[in-house]
Amino acid sequence: MATASRHDAWAAGDSYDAYMGRWSRPIAGRFVDWLDMPEGLAWLELGCGTGALTEAILRRSAHAHVLALDPSEGFLAKARKNVHDPRVEFRLGSAADLASLPRACCDVAVAGLVLNFIPDRVPALRELKRIVRPGGTVGFYVWDYPGGGIAFMRAFWTAAVALDPVARELAEDRRFPFCTREGLAALVEEAGLPAPEIAAIESPSIFRNFDDYWTPFTLGAGPAPGYCASLAPDARERLRARLSESLPRQSNDTIALNTRAWAVKTQVA
Ligand SMILES: C[S@@+](CC[C@H](N)C(=O)[O-])C[C@H]1O[C@@H](n2cnc3c(N)ncnc32)[C@H](O)[C@@H]1O
């Protein structure tokens, strides 16, 4: 079971938005609604990517300020284009850079679809706890990979593994088995944070047709697209054909799948 994969490609913001950003945006909005924070807080966002969660925070809080970190220059460039707003500062930085921030420097620290990609996630959570003021909130969400909560990705890996058993170890459900209600509660406890509230948040992912589903996988941004882009043309074509046969279509050619994330929040003592 590998935590990091050479296919974890976080560089091209346009490709990421076509593959994941369009589905991470609605989930981000639902997460911020569920957090239900008061107005005017200072937020720290880890792994902001192209700005899905950043935008959701700013849209729901007129007087929020967000410091948004990501280690990818390419994603930050896209985030700056997506979110023109004086209330946010996008800054190059990873979980390891949290140590340079002062203790209790923000009210809320959040991370959307990020924690599983951080190999040292317990120290990262401890850092989020350290930088939040007493009484503040640490919140995050990850896809419910083990429960098949991101159906378009599960369908991709099911087809890929049928053609190439090596792909089994690359699939996110295998890499991130802790992304369950129990696993996330244990992670939060290990980081020394109070017992969290955990909820499933869901959103549909409706693809216009098969091309709308398939093309983002060919763009190389993220683990599954990174794997797809690494295939020789004939192997990629076999994968495309298998998926085209297996995905359920509606009469109007759309492919309707679901996404589900586990949302976690805890109050710092
Ligand atoms: C699936 S994307 C999520 C992006 C965005 N939050 C969203 O919801 O669309 C994962 C993000 O984690 C970032 N990332 C990867 N490793 C990281 C680390 N060690 N520390 C902080 N962010 C990291 C990537 O650059 C990428 O932007």
Side-chain angles (χ1 to χ4, degrees):
M1 181 196 313
T3 292
S5 160
R6 69 194 163 89
H7 300 300
D8 289 354
W10 310 121
D14 287 332
S15 304
Y16 175 82
D17 271 359
Y19 169 60
M20 182 57 76
R22 61 178 166 159
W23 312 122
S24 71
R25 280 193 171 75
I27 284 286
R30 280 166 199 224
F31 171 71
V32 180
D33 290 341
W34 176 76
L35 273 188
D36 195 21
M37 291 286 114
E39 254 296 349
L41 301 182
W43 297 65
L44 179 289
E45 185 192 353
L46 182 64
C48 64
T50 57
L53 177 54
T54 330
E55 198 170 22
I57 295 165
L58 295 171
R59 191 171 298 148
R60 284 160 180 78
S61 177
H63 302 291
H65 182 271
V66 185
L67 173 57
L69 305 180
D70 201 277
S72 164
E73 290 274 18
F75 280 15
L76 284 176
K78 181 70 177 162
R80 290 188 183 105
K81 270 194 205 156
N82 284 343
V83 190
H84 284 282
D85 196 310
R87 297 172 295 158
V88 59
E89 180 191 345
F90 289 110
R91 194 187 286 178
L92 191 68
S94 71
D97 298 304
L98 293 172
S100 66
L101 296 175
R103 176 178 296 278
C105 64
C106 63
D107 302 300
V108 195
V110 288
L113 308 176
V114 175
L115 220 64
N116 52 296
F117 293 110
I118 300 175
D120 294 330
R121 59 187 75 95
V122 171
L125 271 178
R126 286 197 189 113
E127 278 301 308
L128 293 179
K129 175 186 172 203
R130 187 187 63 80
I131 63 168
V132 167
R133 64 155 169 84
T137 298
V138 172
F140 65 91
Y141 53 102
V142 291
W143 292 125
D144 174 13
Y145 297 110
I150 179 150
F152 70 87
M153 206 185 275
R154 173 65 70 92
F156 174 90
W157 287 119
T158 300
V161 170
L163 297 168
D164 172 14
V166 171
R168 187 71 202 96
E169 293 305 314
L170 303 173
E172 283 92 337
D173 59 332
R174 188 76 149 221
R175 292 172 58 197
F176 308 128
F178 70 93
C179 291
T180 60
R181 184 186 282 277
E182 298 73 26
L184 295 168
L187 185 72
V188 168
E189 188 186 348
E190 200 182 340
L193 281 154
E197 197 178 317
I198 302 182
I201 47 177
E202 304 205 5
S203 180
S205 52
I206 314 284
F207 298 88
R208 288 190 305 282
N209 51 38
F210 180 71
D211 276 350
D212 188 39
Y213 171 90
W214 170 251
T215 303
F217 284 102
T218 66
L219 302 177
Y227 168 77
C228 189
S230 76
L231 295 173
D234 57 336
R236 198 175 317 146
E237 178 48 32
R238 279 195 295 277
L239 178 54
R240 195 196 70 78
R242 190 171 185 107
L243 274 164
S244 177
E245 274 164 27
S246 60
L247 280 165
R249 318 268 176 100
Q250 316 265 11
S251 54
N252 62 357
D253 226 23
T254 58
I255 299 170
L257 300 167
N258 198 36
T259 65
R260 182 177 55 253
W262 289 114
V264 179
K265 64 177 167 183
T266 178
Q267 210 173 8
V268 174

